[in-house]
Amino acid sequence: MAHKFPEVQGGGSLIIAWQIRGKKVVVVGGGEVAAGRILHCLNADAMVTVVAPASGLNPEVAHRVSQKQVQHIDRLFEPADIDSADMVLTAVDDPEASTRIWKLCKEKHIPVNVADVPPECDFYFGSVHRDGPLQIMVSTNGKGPRLAHAIRKYIAKFLPKQAGAAIDSVGELRVKLRRIAPGPEEGPKRMAWMTKVSDAYSFEELCSLTDEDVDNLLRFYTPGNVPPLDILFSMRDNPDLSKIDVFDGSFGFSIGV
Amino acid sequence: MAHKFPEVQGGGSLIIAWQIRGKKVVVVGGGEVAAGRILHCLNADAMVTVVAPASGLNPEVAHRVSQKQVQHIDRLFEPADIDSADMVLTAVDDPEASTRIWKLCKEKHIPVNVADVPPECDFYFGSVHRDGPLQIMVSTNGKGPRLAHAIRKYIAKFLPKQAGAAIDSVGELRVKLRRIAPGPEEGPKRMAWMTKVSDAYSFEELCSLTDEDVDNLLRFYTPGNVPPLDILFSMRDNPDLSKIDVFDGSFGFSIGV
């Protein structure tokens, strides 16, 4: 029986999508590494406070401060800075200060990352590809940060251009479906049909769906079918077809004649 | 000046590689979702405790219990179960119990994920590709879990077969480099050369390097060069070449004659 379950492959990390919308993240330091951390946090809608003397801010961090994208405490770190923090990220060239901050965070149970000091990190960062709702994070588990960056670029090259839009389309399909079949009693049918849709099309195919396709696709919900992609594409700009409501699942009818 | 810095793209998550080696993770529930969570945690070397009546364990969870890969508390959840937990994951069909656990974790500042209840999650899971030291996590930020799975498979299909091994090779190169050039005074030169290596080869090229190539590559450290890939490949199984120690950076010498 044992062989049918996945083998444990130790040595990895638990890769998770941390939710920091509206949460207070304190970034100690204002250099290049801090700039990267700040952008990651802003992309996740955090309220970011940067603690660093103005004289030491890198141009990107100074830009975020001047645009009021982050709060700025213009001096060196003081313990009270993290009093109400939900997360702390330090990126300063001062190992002793870093260790003090690490210990303080541990006392207060605040998740913390001390750049370049793995033992003082509750979590590591990786290289992240972003395309709308899609986020792909590459971690080499500390073996090669530059390589993580290269792999991220490699993946970005191969991903369909509409990857993020496809996810939005599927999200939109789910929302519209709930609008045309709102009842809770429809729940299982909605879920079953969405699963059918996911199984019927490959990721590349989903990436090729337009808003019009999504609307046309919804017409197959009532009979509970999912059409082959060429049928769906044939429905584009086909006003006559829009009157057809006999989708019997055989898809044997002529399209566009 | 503003245009030269990356624009903030809100709406994402902070994707991080959480470190749970040797940490106590309590999983409440023993169904299919729990099984997936447990595997994620074991792959990151956590000490996992599953709280669920034995009668309700899914076969995979029962297997992990019988193999002693996890600890098992054979009853429904009790608050004391999370007393020393570093992380709590619940996957039970009982919204009230889930909410009680969520509140308890918030009081104790323990990171928690309540399956299928986004507002009661400090973090979400995604679909993870694993190849040795390489982990690639796909998140659709809740828009389409099945789609995340499809994208993960799509990426896996395009990744070079040796992706994980390539990361190990680069890690190995760094370790061996430190052995042949150990002094701290060599630090900047080591870092500069490793950067040169990363920049000289694409990810696909790095994936094609053998252990022998890595050893041969190290011979270019002293003169501070990085050879074109064809030169490196020409050095394979070439015992005469191993006596050559005049890499002047021009690479104009004949290989294998």
Side-chain angles (χ1 to χ4, degrees):
Chain A
M1 288 293 281
H3 64 281
K4 70 172 181 170
F5 304 115
E7 283 287 322
V8 172
Q9 278 190 272
S13 307
L14 188 74
I15 314 236
I16 52 184
W18 199 265
Q19 301 305 302
I20 51 170
R21 172 186 296 264
K23 297 286 178 71
K24 180 175 173 181
V25 177
V26 175
V27 177
V28 183
E32 192 187 337
V33 173
R37 305 293 199 242
I38 290 167
L39 182 61
H40 277 313
C41 292
L42 292 176
N43 284 345
D45 301 324
M47 289 177 358
V48 178
T49 299
V50 178
V51 183
S55 58
L57 295 187
N58 119 326
E60 182 173 337
V61 178
H63 166 73
R64 306 284 178 214
V65 169
S66 75
Q67 297 294 302
K68 300 200 192 315
Q69 294 175 347
V70 300
Q71 281 203 304
H72 181 212
I73 300 180
D74 178 10
R75 55 163 170 71
L76 290 174
F77 174 80
E78 291 178 9
D81 295 337
I82 61 168
D83 269 353
S84 57
D86 295 293
M87 175 175 275
V88 173
L89 312 173
T90 91
V92 289
D93 283 332
D94 182 341
E96 281 178 33
S98 292
T99 300
R100 276 199 304 276
I101 297 170
W102 157 254
K103 286 182 179 163
L104 204 56
C105 289
K106 287 297 92 188
E107 280 168 24
K108 292 172 171 282
H109 300 279
I110 302 170
V112 57
N113 171 285
V114 176
D116 286 327
V117 189
E120 298 183 350
C121 287
D122 290 317
F123 55 91
Y124 303 155
F125 287 91
S127 192
V128 178
H129 172 77
R130 176 77 186 273
D131 179 7
L134 175 63
Q135 286 182 293
I136 298 171
M137 191 267 224
V138 178
S139 170
T140 59
N141 281 289
K143 293 260 180 122
R146 291 182 69 91
L147 207 47
H149 184 79
I151 296 170
R152 191 252 290 162
K153 288 202 295 188
Y154 177 88
I155 291 172
K157 202 174 63 186
F158 278 102
L159 277 180
K161 291 282 163 289
Q162 296 78 13
I167 295 166
D168 278 329
S169 291
V170 172
E172 187 70 5
L173 182 65
R174 191 174 284 119
V175 168
K176 285 181 172 170
L177 181 58
R178 206 167 281 138
R179 215 173 288 149
I180 64 166
E185 74 286 356
E186 289 274 326
K189 187 181 172 189
R190 280 200 308 261
M191 272 181 66
W193 188 74
M194 283 301 298
T195 299
K196 254 191 193 172
V197 170
S198 302
D199 292 347
Y201 307 129
S202 71
F203 172 56
E204 293 102 310
E205 287 171 342
L206 283 172
C207 289
S208 65
L209 298 184
T210 63
D211 286 351
E212 186 187 358
D213 296 334
V214 167
D215 286 338
N216 286 333
L217 185 54
L218 277 169
R219 302 177 59 212
F220 293 82
Y221 171 71
T222 303
N225 300 320
V226 177
L229 211 64
D230 53 341
I231 297 282
L232 207 57
F233 289 170
S234 306
M235 295 172 74
R236 290 180 184 173
D237 293 321
N238 196 328
D240 285 339
L241 199 70
S242 70
K243 290 176 201 135
I244 299 175
D245 58 0
V246 283
F247 296 110
D248 64 356
S250 67
F251 306 113
F253 52 86
S254 302
I255 295 287
V257 293
Chain B
M1 289 292 282
H3 65 279
K4 68 172 183 168
F5 304 115
E7 283 288 322
V8 173
Q9 284 192 66
S13 306
L14 189 73
I15 315 241
I16 51 183
W18 201 264
Q19 301 306 302
I20 51 170
R21 170 186 297 266
K23 297 287 178 71
K24 180 175 173 180
V25 178
V26 175
V27 177
V28 183
E32 193 186 335
V33 173
R37 305 291 199 243
I38 290 167
L39 182 61
H40 277 314
C41 292
L42 292 176
N43 283 346
D45 301 324
M47 288 176 1
V48 178
T49 300
V50 178
V51 184
S55 58
L57 295 186
N58 120 325
E60 182 173 337
V61 179
H63 166 73
R64 306 281 177 216
V65 169
S66 74
Q67 297 295 302
K68 299 198 192 319
Q69 294 175 348
V70 301
Q71 281 204 303
H72 181 212
I73 299 180
D74 178 9
R75 56 164 169 70
L76 291 172
F77 175 81
E78 291 177 9
D81 294 338
I82 61 168
D83 269 354
S84 57
D86 295 294
M87 175 174 275
V88 173
L89 311 174
T90 92
V92 289
D93 283 332
D94 182 341
E96 281 178 33
S98 291
T99 300
R100 277 199 304 276
I101 297 171
W102 156 256
K103 285 182 181 165
L104 204 56
C105 288
K106 288 297 90 188
E107 279 169 24
K108 292 170 171 284
H109 300 279
I110 301 170
V112 57
N113 171 286
V114 176
D116 286 327
V117 189
E120 297 183 351
C121 287
D122 290 317
F123 56 91
Y124 304 155
F125 287 91
S127 192
V128 178
H129 172 76
R130 177 76 186 272
D131 178 7
L134 175 63
Q135 287 182 293
I136 298 171
M137 192 268 223
V138 178
S139 169
T140 59
N141 281 290
K143 292 258 178 123
R146 292 182 69 89
L147 206 49
H149 184 79
I151 297 171
R152 192 253 290 162
K153 288 202 295 189
Y154 177 88
I155 291 172
K157 201 173 66 186
F158 278 101
L159 277 180
K161 292 281 162 292
Q162 297 78 12
I167 295 166
D168 279 329
S169 290
V170 171
E172 187 71 3
L173 181 66
R174 192 174 284 118
V175 169
K176 285 182 173 170
L177 182 58
R178 206 167 281 138
R179 215 173 290 149
I180 64 166
E185 74 285 355
E186 288 274 323
K189 187 180 172 190
R190 279 199 311 261
M191 274 181 65
W193 188 73
M194 283 301 299
T195 300
K196 252 190 192 172
V197 170
S198 302
D199 293 346
Y201 307 128
S202 70
F203 172 55
E204 295 102 309
E205 287 172 341
L206 283 171
C207 288
S208 65
L209 297 185
T210 64
D211 287 352
E212 186 188 357
D213 295 333
V214 167
D215 287 338
N216 285 334
L217 185 54
L218 277 169
R219 303 177 58 212
F220 292 82
Y221 171 71
T222 304
N225 300 319
V226 177
L229 210 64
D230 54 341
I231 297 282
L232 206 56
F233 288 170
S234 307
M235 293 171 74
R236 289 180 183 172
D237 293 320
N238 197 327
D240 285 338
L241 199 71
S242 70
K243 289 176 201 137
I244 298 176
D245 59 0
V246 283
F247 296 109
D248 64 356
S250 67
F251 306 110
F253 50 89
S254 305
I255 295 288
V257 293

